[in-house]
Amino acid sequence: MTLLDPIKRRTSVRDFIDKPVEREKIMLCLEAARLAPSACNSQPWRFIVVDDGQLRGKLCDAAFSGIYSANSFCKTAPVIVAVVSEKSKFMARIGGMFRGTEYHLIDIGIACEHFVLQATDLGLGTCWIGWFDEGAVKAILNVPQQKKIDILIALGYYNPARVSSEHNREPIDKIASFNSY
Ligand SMILES: Cc1cc2nc3c(=O)[nH]c(=O)nc-3n(C[C@H](O)[C@H](O)[C@H](O)COP(=O)(O)O)c2cc1C
């Protein structure tokens, strides 16, 4: 088993089965996210795990209605994780301003991918969700309005026979080169 195995197996799951996810498994995913690197070790994230059925239903109804209804498949996910962006350390923010780089988004991306790959390794399916009603999510989860939720993660068991793990990606020679652009 190499790291490339879960990386290859991970695919976006949009059809979950009705089976609760064990808290111990969620904790392992959170531990993987916790260990992610971040600019100046800012760790600018907070993960709100919604696994209470009633709250999750309310959250999904609010987050994925109207223009966001393309993601209403998330209603089948037994767990939704809301990733709140927290303030980066001063040096990361100043450095980011000089560089014109949103380091906290890079940081959150790494942490979420750690989460997702650990979930894959545990036999769970995930889908990154960037298209949702953020205001509604913040209101339901008591997140202060001035904070940002850039991403949700849908998490749950799924039927692998119903999910294609084929990756539609550019070949390596189109995305990478040695020693020059
Ligand atoms: C930042 C980000 C936001 C995404 N938002 C959504 C989304 O709102 N809805 C959705 O169904 N998939 C979403 N995806 C999943 C992508 O569509 C998917 O990763 C991509 O098509 C590659 O397919 P794969 O994950 O199966 O390899 C998102 C992925 C990322 C990284």
Side-chain angles (χ1 to χ4, degrees):
M1 169 80 119
T2 68
L3 179 58
L4 207 51
D5 291 323
I7 290 174
K8 283 184 174 168
R9 263 190 292 123
R10 187 217 57 82
T11 189
S12 293
V13 172
R14 298 186 177 88
D15 184 12
F16 295 90
I17 58 177
D18 188 14
K19 175 179 172 183
V21 179
E22 301 85 343
R23 279 270 171 102
E24 307 78 63
K25 291 194 175 177
I26 299 174
M27 292 306 291
L28 287 172
C29 296
L30 290 170
E31 175 65 356
R34 188 181 76 87
L35 294 173
S38 56
C40 299
N41 202 19
S42 287
Q43 305 163 67
W45 46 62
R46 186 177 173 93
F47 296 84
I48 305 177
V49 179
V50 181
D51 67 350
D52 175 90
Q54 219 174 353
L55 180 64
R56 187 176 45 80
K58 193 174 154 195
L59 180 74
C60 287
D61 285 344
F64 308 119
S65 64
I67 58 168
Y68 303 104
S69 57
N71 280 331
S72 52
F73 69 85
C74 289
K75 293 177 187 176
T76 68
V79 182
I80 300 287
V81 181
V83 186
V84 183
S85 293
E86 297 293 341
K87 211 170 180 179
S88 291
K89 285 186 182 161
F90 180 71
M91 285 309 288
R93 280 184 285 131
I94 291 291
M97 255 163 59
F98 270 98
R99 288 275 297 108
T101 302
E102 301 260 15
Y103 288 126
H104 79 277
L105 290 179
I106 299 176
D107 299 339
I108 282 178
I110 300 168
C112 288
E113 191 61 6
H114 274 203
F115 185 105
V116 156
L117 290 176
Q118 178 61 72
T120 307
D121 201 48
L122 293 166
L124 293 160
T126 56
C127 192
W128 288 67
I129 302 295
W131 183 243
F132 59 93
D133 186 332
E134 184 185 355
V137 173
K138 285 198 277 198
I140 289 170
L141 300 182
N142 306 312
V143 177
Q145 277 307 312
Q146 74 274 14
K147 299 235 181 228
K148 194 87 184 77
I149 302 179
D150 292 300
I151 206 81
L152 305 176
I153 300 171
L155 173 75
Y157 286 100
Y158 66 107
N159 180 353
R162 295 184 59 175
V163 173
S164 157
S165 57
E166 199 180 298
H167 295 287
N168 177 20
R169 298 292 194 272
E170 300 290 355
I172 286 188
D173 61 5
K174 209 168 163 192
I175 61 149
S177 54
F178 287 91
N179 304 318
S180 177
Y181 183 84

